[in-house]
């Protein structure tokens, strides 16, 4: 079964063709990151305008890449939320028009669920051995195995989710303020590292090397819960910078900041070391995410943990979690880096599993900017 996936929830325009919910035949992403970079974040009105100009060329390129004709498609899956209303509208309207014109089933997909289903995708390298002997089989060798725990960490969400079977989600914990990706983006802006913040901070942190880091930033543990909080961390970085600036301007009480003096020891000219702050920030985020995920995985007795969402691209997090879970015989599964951030292949994959359950959407489907995962109590 071949599904065309369309994704336009934020500043990426994606179209992809995925076979049987797993095998990627084409995946095209047009990113606006360079346009929004100068503003330090996504400007919604600008994003929707660019969605509009990108959507047709991206769709055409995906069909061409896959060598697929319209007649070869079995359904169209499209993100209908969460995301920016204006951006979502572009993809959803295109999907409706195409489904209507071609007489194809339409499937509205929850973007967060799609980040989770990115873990079912396979790259070309592992396609060959992919298919099960029994073509009708629900599970393929190499698929994630239920029950699962997923850590969903994107630009707007940070959630620990228990998944006993396809389509059932129980919320264990979530952020009480900033999302993990949002924290990366805000701290990156504070450090002058640009947008998107995640990759920029990861790169800067690598420059700090493995030596001792003079900075240690606070962790919000919110004990006995699986909740997260990242806004205090952002404030700690801000105070560090303000302290250094006050120092540079001739001191004052603020300039006597303990952090700023430590920073002065590291960097030449008395300024702070951006790579070391980036590393300390990343370490604090990774520490909390990994510790809570390990605890939840052990409590629930899952054998596999899924990483999902843009922050799942972070290699320091992947390494730390893999190492933390391994002694307990729990495996970490992550999508290939390119499929962690927004893409349409994950939308097509999710559409496939819904179609198999006999679902399809009506043409009255509307965008849902604040859509959540459909949480239920499963235990
Ligand atoms: O899932 P995504 O592409 O879009 C949303 O659905 O929000 O996630 C984007 C977020 C941004 O906040 C970005 O800074 C973060 O994911 N991100 C990363 C990395 N790559 C992207 N965060 C940490 N490390 C990365 N390598
Ligand atoms: Zn996303």
């Amino acid at each position: 079964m071949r599904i065309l996936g369309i994704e336009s929830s934020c500043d990426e325009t994606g179209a992809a063709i995925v076979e049987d919910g797993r095998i990627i035949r084409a995946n095209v992403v047009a990113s606006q990151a360079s346009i929004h970079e100068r503003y330090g974040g996504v400007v919604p009105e600008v994003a929707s305008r660019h969605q509009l100009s990108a959507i047709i060329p991206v769709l055409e390129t995906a069909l061409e890449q896959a060598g697929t004709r319209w007649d070869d498609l079995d359904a169209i899956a499209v993100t209908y939320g969460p995301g920016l209303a204006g951006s979502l509208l572009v993809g959803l309207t295109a999907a409706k028009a195409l489904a209507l014109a071609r007489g194809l089933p339409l499937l509205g997909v929850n973007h967060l669920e799609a980040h989770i289903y990115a873990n079912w995708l396979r790259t070309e390298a592992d396609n060959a051995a992919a298919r099960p002997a029994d073509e009708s089989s629900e599970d393929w060798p190499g698929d994630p195995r239920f029950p699962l725990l997923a850590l969903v960490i994107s630009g707007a969400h940070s959630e620990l989710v228990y998944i006993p079977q396809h389509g059932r989600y129980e919320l264990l914990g979530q952020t009480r303020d900033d999302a993990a990706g949002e924290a990366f983006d805000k701290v990156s802006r504070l450090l002058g590292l640009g947008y998107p913040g995640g990759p920029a901070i990861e790169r800067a942190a690598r420059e700090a090397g493995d030596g001792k880091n003079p900075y240690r930033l606070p962790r919000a543990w919110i004990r006995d819960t699986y909740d997260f909080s990242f806004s205090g961390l952002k404030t700690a970085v801000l105070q560090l910078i303000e302290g250094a600036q006050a120092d540079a301007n001739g001191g004052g009480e603020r300039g006597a900041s303990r952090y700023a003096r430590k920073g002065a020891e590291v960097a030449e000219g008395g300024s702070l070391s951006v790579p070391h702050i980036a590393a300390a920030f990343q370490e604090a985020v990774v520490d909390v995410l990994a510790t809570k995920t390990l605890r939840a995985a052990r409590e629930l007795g899952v054998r596999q943990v899924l990483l999902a969402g843009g922050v799942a691209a972070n290699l320091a997090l992947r390494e730390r979690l893999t190492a933390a879970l391994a002694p307990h015989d729990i495996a970490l599964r992550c999508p290939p880096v390119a499929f962690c951030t927004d893409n349409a292949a994950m939308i097509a994959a999710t559409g496939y599993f819904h179609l198999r359950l006999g679902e399809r959407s009506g043409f009255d489907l509307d965008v849902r900017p604040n859509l959540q995962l459909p949480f239920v109590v499963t235990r």
Side-chain angles (χ1 to χ4, degrees):
M1 192 180 288
R2 286 190 163 201
I3 298 190
L4 168 65
I6 301 177
E7 153 65 32
S8 74
S9 66
C10 191
D11 62 336
E12 256 106 32
T13 315
I17 290 161
V18 175
E19 214 168 276
D20 296 332
R22 301 168 178 89
I23 301 175
I24 302 157
R25 293 295 176 207
N27 182 56
V28 181
V29 182
S31 173
Q32 305 174 18
S34 59
I35 295 161
H36 297 280
E37 194 173 3
R38 81 183 83 140
Y39 308 110
V42 176
V43 183
E45 182 63 18
V46 174
S48 59
R49 281 163 195 265
H50 281 89
Q51 289 286 357
L52 205 53
S53 53
I55 189 83
I56 304 280
V58 164
L59 279 162
E60 283 173 341
T61 311
L63 283 159
E64 199 178 305
Q65 242 183 39
T68 299
R69 294 163 306 154
W70 287 102
D71 290 344
D72 302 330
L73 293 175
D74 296 289
I76 299 181
V78 61
T79 309
Y80 73 105
L84 302 171
S87 288
L88 287 165
L89 259 177
V90 175
L92 180 58
T93 309
K96 280 186 192 174
L98 291 168
L100 192 64
R102 297 287 163 180
L104 289 167
L106 175 74
L107 288 146
V109 168
N110 181 322
H111 181 92
L112 294 167
E113 190 175 24
H115 273 304
I116 294 170
Y117 272 97
N119 281 287
W120 270 258
L121 290 171
R122 296 158 190 242
T123 51
E124 276 189 26
D126 43 29
N127 275 348
R131 285 180 190 282
D134 172 9
E135 283 275 332
S136 67
S137 167
E138 177 79 21
D139 295 316
W140 287 22
D143 277 354
R145 291 275 174 257
F146 296 105
L148 293 159
L149 174 70
L151 176 63
V152 184
I153 35 178
S154 69
H157 287 261
S158 301
E159 284 154 13
L160 259 176
V161 184
Y162 177 60
I163 315 175
Q165 64 191 67
H166 280 294
R168 286 185 75 78
Y169 304 98
E170 178 168 341
L171 181 65
L172 302 174
Q174 63 186 324
T175 184
R176 296 189 178 182
D177 39 59
D178 292 349
E182 189 179 357
F184 270 93
D185 293 336
K186 286 178 173 170
V187 166
S188 178
R189 202 177 323 165
L190 288 175
L191 295 175
L193 292 172
Y195 172 86
I201 291 209
E202 186 170 11
R203 256 192 317 274
R206 221 170 286 133
E207 276 173 43
D210 295 329
K212 189 167 162 37
N213 193 327
Y215 307 112
R216 186 181 157 82
L217 293 168
R219 281 107 167 109
W221 288 110
I222 323 180
R223 292 198 189 276
D224 304 323
T225 73
Y226 290 121
D227 283 350
F228 305 108
S229 164
F230 297 111
S231 74
L233 194 50
K234 172 191 66 193
T235 309
V237 172
L238 180 64
Q239 283 170 345
L240 208 70
I241 295 166
E242 285 180 345
Q245 280 166 346
D247 261 355
N249 296 335
E253 281 85 78
R254 259 182 146 176
S257 145
R258 176 167 54 94
Y259 288 120
R261 270 187 280 109
K262 279 196 171 180
E265 286 162 22
V266 192
E268 285 177 72
S271 62
L272 294 167
S273 163
V274 168
H276 284 92
I277 301 176
F281 164 78
Q282 181 172 270
E283 167 64 23
V285 174
V286 166
D287 195 10
V288 175
L289 290 175
T291 304
K292 295 216 172 196
T293 303
L294 171 64
R295 186 154 60 80
R298 293 189 67 195
E299 188 189 311
L300 292 158
V302 300
R303 298 264 65 91
Q304 294 188 350
V305 171
L306 305 183
L307 268 192
V311 184
N314 189 280
L315 296 181
L317 175 64
R318 288 171 178 235
E319 280 164 21
R320 170 73 181 271
L321 255 178
T322 304
L325 294 168
H328 305 282
D329 207 19
I330 305 170
L332 180 71
R333 307 197 44 146
C334 340
V337 169
F339 296 98
C340 288
T341 47
D342 292 349
N343 65 87
M346 67 184 192
I347 307 299
T350 313
Y352 169 84
F353 287 101
H354 281 280
L355 200 62
R356 275 193 72 119
L357 294 172
E359 295 170 22
R360 62 162 77 189
S361 305
F363 284 100
D364 58 348
L365 180 69
D366 204 354
V367 298
R368 295 272 304 277
N370 299 316
L371 189 66
Q372 301 280 334
L373 281 170
F375 291 122
V376 292
V377 175
T378 64
R379 295 171 297 146

